[in-house]
């Protein structure tokens, strides 16, 4: 089976038909949610959230929904207009940008507290057009991403490398642009469940404070498949959640209302002492 990036450029491959098919596929949505949960875990964010995150290659907003559940504020960028149209129709919480990441990004320095990307990075390694040179596009992308992150922030990329040379090229260019970090492999002994995450650090959070590369999940397999040891991924696969949601708290509601006002939305309710209070059940 051909890899999608070998068939057509992403803005053409994900047309209206393919975008709807991708978004409505329950299996794809479940896998995307699992990988997003893992990427957020690798960000190692503190408990002082919500944080402002960048979703690179946000598509139709599947990863953004997970960020919403965690109570984070996010912005998403994608090159496929059809994908962004679906995300806009779903009225996702994040701001959406139509952008070719290979041309870099124009955010102010230190804008984001972290960045995630699911199944996107391998597209930059493909010269789908005569003017698209993978090394130049990767350098432009990583250099502008480094500038847009807070010092010490992390960028997590789940991707599907085609070969070892591709991994070396991506990591080498990322390091030249100022990042440190490395590759995290989950379930490396399983051909089906193996996932690669490029974990990059944008400098040090504090002088002399070294960031350690996270360890990959499970190298042992159970008889009936992979034994998922990560509790967040395990509960998500069961359709349950044990995460403490920050949604509907007074601080979260006030933050969302202020964000809506900054975006110019009309009809935002006024703040009061009753904001975020739970209503008594009706008789």
């Amino acid at each position: 089976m051909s890899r999608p990036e070998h068939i057509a450029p992403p803005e053409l491959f994900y047309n209206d038909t393919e975008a709807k098919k991708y978004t409505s596929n329950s299996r794809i949505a479940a896998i995307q949610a699992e990988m997003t949960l893992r990427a957020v875990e690798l960000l190692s964010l503190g408990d002082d959230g919500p944080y402002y995150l960048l979703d690179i290659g946000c598509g139709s907003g599947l990863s953004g929904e997970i960020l919403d559940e965690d109570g984070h504020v996010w912005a998403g960028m994608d090159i496929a207009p059809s994908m962004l149209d679906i995300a806009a129709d779903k009225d996702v919480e994040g701001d959406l940008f139509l952008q070719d990441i290979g041309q870099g990004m124009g955010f102010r320095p230190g804008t984001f507290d972290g960045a995630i990307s699911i199944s996107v990075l391998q597209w930059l390694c493909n010269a789908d057009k005569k003017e698209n040179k993978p090394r130049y596009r990767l350098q432009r992308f990583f250099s502008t991403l480094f500038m847009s992150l807070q010092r010490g922030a992390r960028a997590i990329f789940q991707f599907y490398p085609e070969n070892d040379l591709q991994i070396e090229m991506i990591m080498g260019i990322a390091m030249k642009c100022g990042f440190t970090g490395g590759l995290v492999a989950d379930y490396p002994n399983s051909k089906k469940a193996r996932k690669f995450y490029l974990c990059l650090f944008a400098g040090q959070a504090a002088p002399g404070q070294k960031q350690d590369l996270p360890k990959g999940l499970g190298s042992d397999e159970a008889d009936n498949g992979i034994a998922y040891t990560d509790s967040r991924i395990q509960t998500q696969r069961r359709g349950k959640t044990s995460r403490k949601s920050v949604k509907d708290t007074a601080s979260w509601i006030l933050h969302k209302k202020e964000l809506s006002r900054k975006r110019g939305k009309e009809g935002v309710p006024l703040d009061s002492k009753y904001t975020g209070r739970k209503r008594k059940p009706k008789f």
Side-chain angles (χ1 to χ4, degrees), residues 1-14 119-129 132 134 159-163 166 170:
M1 183 177 179
S2 300
R3 296 169 64 95
E5 61 268 24
H6 292 171
I7 298 175
E11 65 272 26
L12 300 179
F13 181 83
Y14 289 107
S119 307
V120 173
L121 196 56
Q122 68 270 10
W123 289 88
L124 284 179
C125 300
N126 191 43
D128 47 34
K129 298 177 183 177
N132 285 352
F159 71 115
Y160 296 101
E162 189 170 0
N163 49 51
Q166 195 175 88
I170 292 172

Side-chain angles (χ1 to χ4, degrees), residues 67-81:
L67 299 180
D68 287 335
E69 290 180 10
D70 273 2
H72 299 301
V73 182
W74 61 278
M77 55 197 314
D78 202 283
I79 195 175

Side-chain angles (χ1 to χ4, degrees), residues 188-208:
N189 299 324
S190 171
K191 186 176 181 180
K192 183 178 180 180
R194 182 170 57 234
K195 295 291 185 298
F196 292 102
Y197 296 86
L198 181 62
C199 186
L200 299 179
F201 310 139
Q204 300 176 351

Side-chain angles (χ1 to χ4, degrees), residues 42-43 56 113-115 121 138 141-143 145-146 149-150 152-157 159 167 170-184 197-203 211-214:
L42 291 172
L43 283 176
I56 302 168
D113 300 310
L121 196 56
L138 283 166
F141 166 64
F142 282 125
S143 61
L145 174 63
F146 184 87
L149 293 173
Q150 294 273 358
R154 296 186 179 190
I156 308 298
F157 299 87
F159 71 115
I167 295 176
I170 292 172
M171 293 184 62
I173 294 175
M175 302 305 164
K176 287 182 180 179
C177 293
F179 285 104
T180 56
L183 192 67
V184 176
Y197 296 86
L198 181 62
C199 186
L200 299 179
F201 310 139
Q211 298 201 61
D212 296 325
L213 188 67

Side-chain angles (χ1 to χ4, degrees), residues 58-71:
C58 63
S60 56
L62 294 178
S63 296
E65 293 173 352
I66 303 299
L67 299 180
D68 287 335
E69 290 180 10
D70 273 2

